[in-house]
Amino acid sequence: MDQFVQAALIGISLGAQYALLALGFTLIFGILGVVNFSHGGFYMLGGYVAYSCVAFLGLPYPLAVLVAVAATAALGWVFELFLLERLVDDHLATLMLTLGLYLVISTGLLTVFGPLSMEFAFPVTGALHMGPIYVPRENLIVLAVCLTAIAALWLVLYRTDLGRGLRALADDRAVAMAQGLRPKLLFPLAFAIATGLAGLTGALVTPILSLSPGVGDPVLATSFLTVILGGLGSLEGAALAAFVVGIVEAFSSVYFGGSIGALVLFVLVLLLLVFRPTGLMGRTVRGA
Amino acid sequence: MTELRVESLAKRFGGLRVFQNIGFTLPEGGLLGVIGPNGAGKTTLINVISGRQMASAGKVVLGGRDITNQPAHAVSRLGLARSFQQTNTFKSVSVNENIARAVRFGGRGAPVGLTRMMDTFGLTPRLHEISDKLPYGLQKMLGLVMAFASAPKIVLLDEPAAGLERAERQNVDTFVQIVRDAGTSVLIVEHDMDLIRRLCPRILVLDAGVLLADGPPAEVLARPDVIAAYLGEAGEA
């Protein structure tokens, strides 16, 4: 039973991290119709910016996280406004552009920081013991920040005019434009929100896992898998699927061993695509 | 004064001419019908005026301001709304959210007559239903309500009666009446000749991209060239 509870807690913690990544990924797909292959790059960049702020500038870690969010959001905004925007309706071009950006980010980080993992430790250590259950404090902090960020994103999307506009663009761009919405203003903002979320996740998680120029690859794979499971473009689906992925991964690791987790997940997604191609909460048609 | 003036407007797709040398004025509070056979360029005319497609030549002037080739969102912000031939709703959200979006995005507040319009069309009891689940006729009327909900100065209607049952077409009359009561000008593209005759004091006839006639329906529809170009084939519609 203790093992079960511990696996569930790990799963929820992982799920919250995946949710932040997947929400950003699906936000960009839903609103711009772009599959953002640079998403893992922004995760990595968030980690490196936070690391640099702490290691070179001596900033306290919470401030470094905020700087990482601002930097990744700003880069996302600039990238969308000056490059992606020009080709936003050309799916092949946006795929190449975002993949290219990922290569630029990862190669740039490799050139500047080298191939080895950085010594970047989470500032809080130790564990919380609840009877026989052991939960690392760092995981609890990351979980709390992720849940706060998800709640903040929900508030922005569902309780503000900006969010109403973003959702309208995702629902039907032509109708939204006929109603007076400006994609050229809202697309960069949506992209910046998504990349800022990836940067936040990177700044929070890389001190716990690892920080090296290759850590963006599995992040892209997990984000992609999560949003397909949830239904491309569906925010609710992405959040739900992220927790499913986190919990499946945690239970598979605890009960069957580490390498089985990925296998179970891919089988799950494969079955879902066969029986429900639109994902858990996906839509059949997307207006553009 | 919010008058819509179209001067020598032309649209080409490469070597294909859709329409050319179209000119007319829609005065403030006016009502103008546009008819013509399929392929005459009516929908493209609405698309070009509303900024959805670029003009190849000519000018569109709204309230003295040149809006030629302004993007759709900018034209909408200036008070020109449009409906689409197909339903133009946000399909995955409720009726209420659709109307709320139109009002909020318009930025001019809800227009006088909006509640009456929703009541008349039977949308008020279905505010919380997802718009995609409504019967087609109601989806179509919701699209029209959304065009009006942004409190526009001018509304362009692209075949508002298309796909509606005969009884439902009466709602289009009511819609136009409420819109005009609010002081909004209307340009209506339509194939339903009874509706055009009932509503429009003035009509334009487009044929193969050329403005064939402009005047009162009784006069225009009696012209042999108009009958030959259009009414002969679609008079039974």
Side-chain angles (χ1 to χ4, degrees):
Chain A
M1 186 61 192
D2 304 340
Q3 204 178 27
F4 182 89
V5 175
Q6 192 138 349
L9 285 172
I10 293 169
I12 290 168
S13 177
L14 275 176
Q17 297 164 27
Y18 294 158
L20 270 193
L21 290 166
L23 282 171
F25 194 86
T26 208
L27 195 68
I28 291 174
F29 180 80
I31 293 169
L32 283 79
V34 168
V35 177
N36 178 22
F37 278 88
S38 64
H39 208 57
F42 285 97
Y43 167 88
M44 257 186 328
L45 196 62
Y48 274 100
V49 170
Y51 165 75
S52 302
C53 288
V54 172
F56 305 130
L57 301 178
L59 293 183
Y61 176 71
L63 193 56
V65 171
L66 291 178
V67 173
V69 174
T72 47
L75 180 64
W77 187 81
V78 168
F79 174 69
E80 205 293 327
L81 188 65
F82 294 107
L83 286 173
L84 201 62
E85 184 62 39
R86 295 160 189 266
L87 301 161
V88 75
D89 292 321
D90 183 338
H91 295 306
L92 194 59
T94 56
L95 192 149
M96 296 308 292
L97 258 181
T98 56
L99 191 60
L101 179 64
Y102 177 70
L103 293 174
V104 167
I105 292 173
S106 56
T107 311
L109 292 173
L110 182 69
T111 308
V112 174
F113 293 96
L116 299 177
S117 291
M118 299 291 105
E119 286 186 21
F120 186 26
F122 203 83
V124 178
T125 53
L128 203 66
H129 294 274
M130 293 176 284
I133 299 164
Y134 162 95
V135 188
R137 287 183 198 277
E138 57 197 21
N139 284 32
L140 286 176
I141 291 169
V142 169
L143 175 64
V145 175
C146 287
L147 291 177
T148 306
I150 292 168
L153 179 66
W154 186 88
L155 282 175
V156 168
L157 289 176
Y158 289 93
R159 288 289 179 270
T160 67
D161 278 350
L162 168 66
R164 183 171 256 160
L166 291 174
R167 286 185 292 120
L169 278 173
D171 288 340
D172 195 317
R173 194 184 303 171
V175 175
M177 284 179 71
Q179 299 279 348
L181 289 184
R182 293 179 62 189
K184 283 192 177 173
L185 183 73
L186 293 173
F187 281 1
L189 268 175
F191 206 86
I193 291 171
T195 54
L197 289 175
L200 170 65
T201 319
L204 285 173
V205 176
T206 52
I208 300 172
L209 300 176
S210 71
L211 181 60
S212 65
V215 295
D217 300 351
V219 165
L220 174 63
T222 308
S223 303
F224 207 22
L225 185 129
T226 306
V227 296
I228 287 174
L229 188 65
L232 271 169
S234 164
L235 293 166
E236 298 86 351
L240 175 67
F243 284 97
V244 170
V245 169
I247 286 169
V248 167
E249 210 173 285
F251 275 92
S252 306
S253 301
V254 169
Y255 287 103
F256 307 119
S259 56
I260 302 293
L263 179 67
V264 172
L265 271 178
F266 278 103
V267 169
L268 193 73
V269 171
L270 203 65
L271 287 174
L272 188 91
L273 287 177
V274 171
F275 294 107
R276 194 177 162 81
T278 55
L280 293 173
M281 299 176 80
R283 289 173 288 180
T284 313
V285 182
R286 181 185 172 279
Chain B
M1 183 168 137
T2 311
E3 154 190 285
L4 175 69
R5 201 168 72 245
V6 171
E7 298 173 4
S8 306
L9 201 63
K11 176 65 184 174
R12 281 184 299 276
F13 291 114
L16 177 71
R17 185 196 72 189
V18 183
F19 57 76
Q20 66 175 5
N21 201 27
I22 303 292
F24 62 86
T25 299
L26 175 61
E28 185 170 82
L31 172 56
L32 178 64
V34 180
I35 64 168
N38 286 328
K42 305 182 298 296
T43 294
T44 309
L45 178 65
I46 284 189
N47 286 344
V48 170
I49 294 172
S50 64
R52 195 160 188 231
Q53 290 176 331
M54 304 282 271
S56 305
K59 271 168 80 172
V60 180
V61 180
L62 179 65
R65 183 172 175 168
D66 187 351
I67 61 162
T68 319
N69 294 336
Q70 292 284 310
H73 62 80
V75 174
S76 169
R77 294 255 161 195
L78 290 171
L80 191 146
R82 65 162 297 175
S83 74
F84 292 80
Q85 248 179 60
Q86 303 301 320
T87 57
N88 55 299
T89 62
F90 297 108
K91 299 191 186 319
S92 62
V93 298
S94 68
V95 171
N96 193 40
E97 176 66 13
N98 266 288
I99 293 167
R101 283 182 183 182
V103 172
R104 297 293 294 183
F105 298 159
R108 291 178 285 268
V112 176
L114 180 62
T115 310
R116 182 180 145 215
M117 194 180 271
M118 287 161 60
D119 290 343
T120 308
F121 299 156
L123 289 167
T124 307
R126 310 183 80 147
L127 280 178
H128 300 292
E129 291 185 31
I130 299 297
S131 72
D132 201 24
K133 305 291 180 198
L134 295 176
Y136 180 81
L138 269 184
Q139 286 188 42
K140 187 96 182 182
M141 295 321 295
L142 175 59
L144 295 182
V145 173
M146 285 171 66
F148 176 61
S150 62
K153 296 166 186 161
I154 295 175
V155 63
L156 313 181
L157 306 175
D158 193 0
E159 297 193 26
L164 296 183
E165 300 289 332
R166 189 164 290 275
E168 291 173 326
R169 293 182 184 193
Q170 195 60 43
N171 283 339
V172 178
D173 294 51
T174 311
F175 173 82
V176 170
Q177 186 59 53
I178 295 174
V179 168
R180 295 198 72 197
D181 287 348
T184 303
S185 317
V186 179
L187 182 146
I188 178 167
V189 164
E190 187 51 68
H191 277 300
D192 184 335
M193 295 309 297
D194 289 339
L195 190 141
I196 286 286
R197 283 193 189 95
R198 277 200 309 272
L199 291 177
C200 302
R202 178 183 158 214
I203 59 172
L204 308 178
V205 183
L206 287 189
D207 181 36
V210 174
L211 186 56
L212 196 63
D214 177 353
E219 188 182 300
V220 166
L221 298 176
R223 282 175 48 165
D225 53 347
V226 172
I227 294 169
Y230 181 56
L231 295 174
E233 67 163 91
E236 64 276 9

